[in-house]
Amino acid sequence: MSKGVERWVRKDIRDLSAYHVADASGLIKLDAMENPYHWPDSLKQEWLKELEVAELNRYPDPEAHDVKSALRACFNIDELQDLMLGNGSDEIIQCIAMALAEPGRKVLAPEPSFVMYKMIATFVGMDYVGVPLTKDFQLDMPAMLEAIEQHQPALIFIAQPNNPTGTGYPESELREILSKAEGLVVIDEAYMAFTDTDSLPLLNEFDHLVVMRTLSKVGLAGLRLGFLVGASSWIQEFNKVRLPYNISVLTQATVTFALKHFEVLQQQTDAITKDRNMLAQRLEGIGLDRIWPSEANFILVRTPKDTARTIFDAMKDQGVLVKCLDGGHPMLKDCLRLTIGAPKENESMFLALQKALQAVLRKA
Ligand SMILES: *Cc1c(COP(=O)(O)O)cnc(C)c1O
């Protein structure tokens, strides 16, 4: 290693491990909450025509006006609210954190939750406070309110519904948190397509709230488009730390096109939601210790004690990749996260899981 690395790269960065993505080649990929479906051929042809006229020699529209109008129309976003786009919502988390970071300031989130909240807090030099969820993976309200009081976080992230637990929180509890918090609260609705909850109306009541969404889980993970909705006084500031051309010409053209045909994506996410509910029922009674109710496009389960890794490996040997969360957060011991795919993929996953469970239960 160059001596310079140790001398110049910040110690807190050297101590991090990079975000790990498993190799899925040859496997049924049910580890990353992707939509398994493609577009109908006719739609693909129409899309290619749009790309044909995209001007790759020019910088993209830095404000992505067409994308924003399409998002407003598609998600019924109030004229009173402003919008900012990110290269995935990950980038938006980063912009918000950069704008608020000062030494000693804190980021608070319930945990286990989305790992990027903590990672990005570290990148920008903020302190991170994690407040454990209850055993049912619901908000521990007394603990949340006390931590907010004690730490006075500049920034609070709440994923609604939550990743990796799949659980949603009652709106009344979000209101309580908003009433108590003085810093900015970000409600992350990455899984909006699979739940009935909608936090956009809360924007009219709380001026220290912004709502973040993404098209990744809806079916456009490869494009990278996240968006933030909130008062222009906040958005204007975050826009200053956003890199000017963060949404490419190809992404802008494709998102504008895709949102015009949003009903196609919606049919797909509706099918995924139905299949999730069916799978949740089938998972009962095959020997799992616990299945959490899910409002997202995945289901979190707990395997019998100390068998998650064995079951994960056995499923992989049968050609199915899910996410093993054991070894991450202590509350996720023995947990596997199963992304909902196409019916055939779900069937293969179910059979692989059932077989792996039978094998470990026989041994026990
Ligand atoms: C997947 C996910 C994101 C990130 O989405 P991108 O737009 O793909 O960056 C953000 N928040 C939560 C809770 C997620 O699960």
Coordinates of all heavy atoms in Angstrom, one line a residue, residues 18 25 28 68-69 80 108 130 143 147 177 213 229 252 279 297 307 317 338 359:
A18 N -16.5 -1.4 1.8 CA -17.3 -0.9 0.7 C -18.6 -1.7 0.6 O -18.7 -2.9 1.0 CB -16.5 -1.1 -0.6
S25 N -24.3 -14.2 -11.1 CA -24.3 -14.9 -12.5 C -24.8 -16.3 -12.4 O -24.3 -17.1 -11.5 CB -22.9 -14.8 -13.1 OG -21.9 -14.6 -12.2
I28 N -30.9 -17.3 -9.9 CA -32.2 -16.6 -9.9 C -32.0 -15.5 -8.9 O -31.7 -15.8 -7.7 CB -33.4 -17.5 -9.5 CG1 -33.6 -18.6 -10.6 CG2 -34.6 -16.7 -9.2 CD1 -34.6 -19.6 -10.2
K68 N -39.2 16.3 -14.4 CA -40.0 16.8 -13.2 C -41.4 17.0 -13.5 O -42.3 16.6 -12.7 CB -39.4 18.1 -12.8 CG -38.1 18.0 -12.0 CD -37.6 19.3 -11.5 CE -36.2 19.2 -10.9 NZ -35.5 20.5 -10.7
S69 N -41.8 17.5 -14.7 CA -43.2 17.6 -15.0 C -43.9 16.2 -15.1 O -45.0 16.0 -14.7 CB -43.5 18.3 -16.3 OG -42.5 19.1 -16.8
L80 N -47.2 23.4 -4.9 CA -46.6 24.1 -3.8 C -45.2 23.5 -3.4 O -44.4 24.1 -2.7 CB -47.5 24.1 -2.5 CG -48.7 25.0 -2.6 CD1 -49.7 24.7 -1.5 CD2 -48.4 26.4 -2.8
L108 N -30.0 10.6 12.9 CA -30.7 9.6 13.7 C -31.6 8.7 12.8 O -32.2 9.3 11.9 CB -31.5 10.3 14.8 CG -32.2 9.4 15.8 CD1 -32.2 10.0 17.2 CD2 -33.7 9.1 15.4
G130 N -28.3 5.2 16.2 CA -29.3 4.2 15.7 C -30.2 3.9 16.9 O -29.7 3.6 18.0
A143 N -38.4 5.2 23.1 CA -37.0 5.3 22.8 C -36.7 6.4 21.7 O -35.7 7.1 21.8 CB -36.4 4.0 22.4
A147 N -34.5 9.7 22.4 CA -33.2 9.9 21.7 C -33.3 11.2 20.9 O -32.3 11.9 20.8 CB -33.0 8.7 20.7
I177 N -43.2 11.9 15.9 CA -41.7 12.2 15.7 C -41.5 13.5 15.1 O -40.7 14.3 15.5 CB -41.1 11.0 14.8 CG1 -41.1 9.8 15.6 CG2 -39.8 11.5 14.2 CD1 -40.8 8.5 14.8
R213 N -38.3 9.5 -2.8 CA -38.8 8.3 -3.5 C -37.8 7.9 -4.6 O -36.9 8.7 -4.9 CB -40.2 8.6 -4.2 CG -41.3 8.9 -3.1 CD -42.6 9.1 -3.8 NE -43.7 9.1 -2.8 CZ -45.0 9.1 -3.1 NH1 -45.3 9.2 -4.4 NH2 -45.9 9.0 -2.2
V229 N -39.1 15.4 -2.6 CA -40.3 16.4 -2.7 C -40.3 17.1 -1.4 O -40.2 16.6 -0.3 CB -41.6 15.6 -2.8 CG1 -42.7 16.6 -3.1 CG2 -41.5 14.5 -3.9
Q252 N -32.9 10.9 -18.6 CA -34.0 11.9 -18.7 C -34.9 11.4 -19.8 O -36.2 11.4 -19.6 CB -33.4 13.2 -19.0 CG -32.6 13.8 -17.8 CD -32.4 15.3 -17.9 OE1 -33.1 16.1 -18.5 NE2 -31.3 15.8 -17.3
L279 N -47.1 -15.6 -1.3 CA -45.9 -16.2 -0.8 C -45.8 -16.2 0.7 O -45.5 -17.2 1.4 CB -44.6 -15.6 -1.4 CG -43.3 -16.2 -0.9 CD1 -43.1 -17.6 -1.6 CD2 -42.1 -15.4 -1.3
N297 N -41.6 -5.1 -1.6 CA -41.5 -6.2 -2.6 C -40.5 -7.3 -2.1 O -39.7 -7.8 -2.9 CB -41.1 -5.7 -3.9 CG -39.8 -4.9 -4.0 OD1 -39.3 -4.5 -2.9 ND2 -39.2 -4.8 -5.2
T307 N -29.1 -21.2 11.7 CA -29.1 -22.0 10.4 C -29.2 -21.1 9.2 O -29.2 -21.6 8.0 CB -30.3 -22.9 10.4 OG1 -31.5 -22.2 10.4 CG2 -30.3 -23.9 11.5
D317 N -26.9 -23.2 -3.8 CA -26.5 -24.4 -4.5 C -27.6 -24.9 -5.4 O -27.4 -25.6 -6.4 CB -26.2 -25.5 -3.5 CG -24.8 -25.3 -2.8 OD1 -24.0 -24.4 -3.3 OD2 -24.6 -25.9 -1.7
L338 N -36.1 -12.1 1.3 CA -36.5 -12.8 0.1 C -37.2 -11.7 -0.8 O -38.3 -11.3 -0.5 CB -37.5 -13.9 0.4 CG -37.2 -14.8 1.6 CD1 -38.3 -15.8 1.9 CD2 -35.9 -15.7 1.3
A359 N -33.8 -30.0 5.5 CA -32.4 -30.6 5.8 C -31.9 -30.2 7.1 O -31.4 -31.0 7.9 CB -31.5 -30.2 4.7

